[in-house]
Amino acid sequence: TQRVEYITGELIKHLSEFDKEIYRITSEEFLSTSQKPFKSIMTLGKIFNLLKLNPKLVIEEDLNDYLAKRNLFIHEFWKNYLNSTSDLKVKRAVDFCVDFGKHSDRIESFFKGFIYFLRLRHVEDRSKIDNETKKWEKDFEYFMITLQGKNHK
C-alpha cells in the first residue's frame, strides 16, 4: 500500500507541474485543484480523488475498491479478522490479505505503466527509453489494455 501511495503521489506531482506545458492529457479541474497547496498531507484518498478528475486516464471503480480495501486493512483489519482465533476468521484474514496484495500489485502496475506512457513523450521510440523505465514495459502494456477495456464498455 505504501508503494501505491508513493507512486501515485509522485505521478500527481509530476502531472501538476508538467502536464499543461508538455502532455496536455489532464482535465482543467485536475490542473487547478492539483496546483493548490494542501494544508495537510496528501492521503491516498486525496491522491485518488485528484486522479479521478481525469476519467479517461483511470478506472474510478478500481480506485474506489482499492481504497476501501486499504482503509479496511489500515483501520479495521484487527477488529474484523484478528480479534478471534476461529479457523474461519483466520482463513478470511488470509484470503483478504492475498486479495489485497494482488490488487496492490495491479494498481502499482497500472501506475508504473502510466509513468512509462508519460516517459514515451521524451524519446523518439520505445527502444530509446532509459533502462530503469524499460523494466516497466509489461506495466505499460497492462495500462494500455486496461484503459482500452474501459473505453469499450
Side-chain angles (χ1 to χ4, degrees):
T1 194
Q2 290 179 349
R3 287 192 326 241
V4 169
E5 194 163 344
Y6 176 76
I7 200 165
T8 55
E10 291 300 305
L11 179 61
I12 291 288
K13 287 179 201 172
H14 184 80
L15 286 173
S16 69
E17 185 173 347
F18 298 110
D19 185 62
K20 191 170 189 166
E21 299 300 319
I22 298 174
Y23 307 112
R24 292 184 221 118
I25 59 172
T26 62
S27 68
E28 284 299 320
E29 186 178 7
F30 169 84
L31 287 173
S32 66
T33 305
S34 67
Q35 301 286 321
K36 295 176 187 171
F38 288 91
K39 293 181 176 144
S40 62
I41 60 170
M42 286 291 284
T43 64
L44 191 60
K46 289 178 184 176
I47 291 168
F48 280 12
N49 283 337
L50 281 171
L51 290 169
K52 288 187 279 187
L53 295 175
N54 305 294
K56 292 182 180 179
L57 300 174
V58 295
I59 315 270
E60 185 171 344
E61 184 178 331
D62 204 26
L63 296 180
N64 291 341
D65 290 348
Y66 182 79
L67 189 60
K69 289 175 190 176
R70 181 258 184 209
N71 286 343
L72 189 151
F73 182 73
I74 298 297
H75 302 293
E76 300 178 24
F77 188 75
W78 184 85
K79 180 181 79 171
N80 289 350
Y81 294 104
L82 299 179
N83 67 350
S84 165
T85 58
S86 84
D87 290 342
L88 181 59
K89 278 210 171 188
V90 169
K91 182 186 178 332
R92 286 183 179 158
V94 169
D95 291 346
F96 175 84
C97 287
V98 168
D99 177 61
F100 182 56
K102 288 178 181 177
H103 201 166
S104 293
D105 289 344
R106 286 193 314 274
I107 290 282
E108 183 180 359
S109 178
F110 180 86
F111 286 108
K112 283 180 177 177
F114 196 152
I115 291 169
Y116 186 102
F117 168 75
L118 295 176
R119 289 186 180 164
L120 286 175
R121 173 80 163 85
H122 304 284
V123 295
E124 293 172 27
D125 61 62
R126 285 168 86 163
S127 68
K128 307 270 193 242
I129 209 151
D130 65 276
N131 287 333
E132 190 62 32
T133 306
K134 277 183 185 176
K135 296 176 187 175
W136 295 354
E137 191 162 4
K138 288 187 190 244
D139 300 303
F140 172 67
E141 291 169 12
Y142 176 71
F143 170 77
M144 295 304 293
I145 288 168
T146 302
L147 287 181
Q148 288 169 355
K150 171 195 172 198
N151 292 330
H152 289 328
K153 288 182 179 178

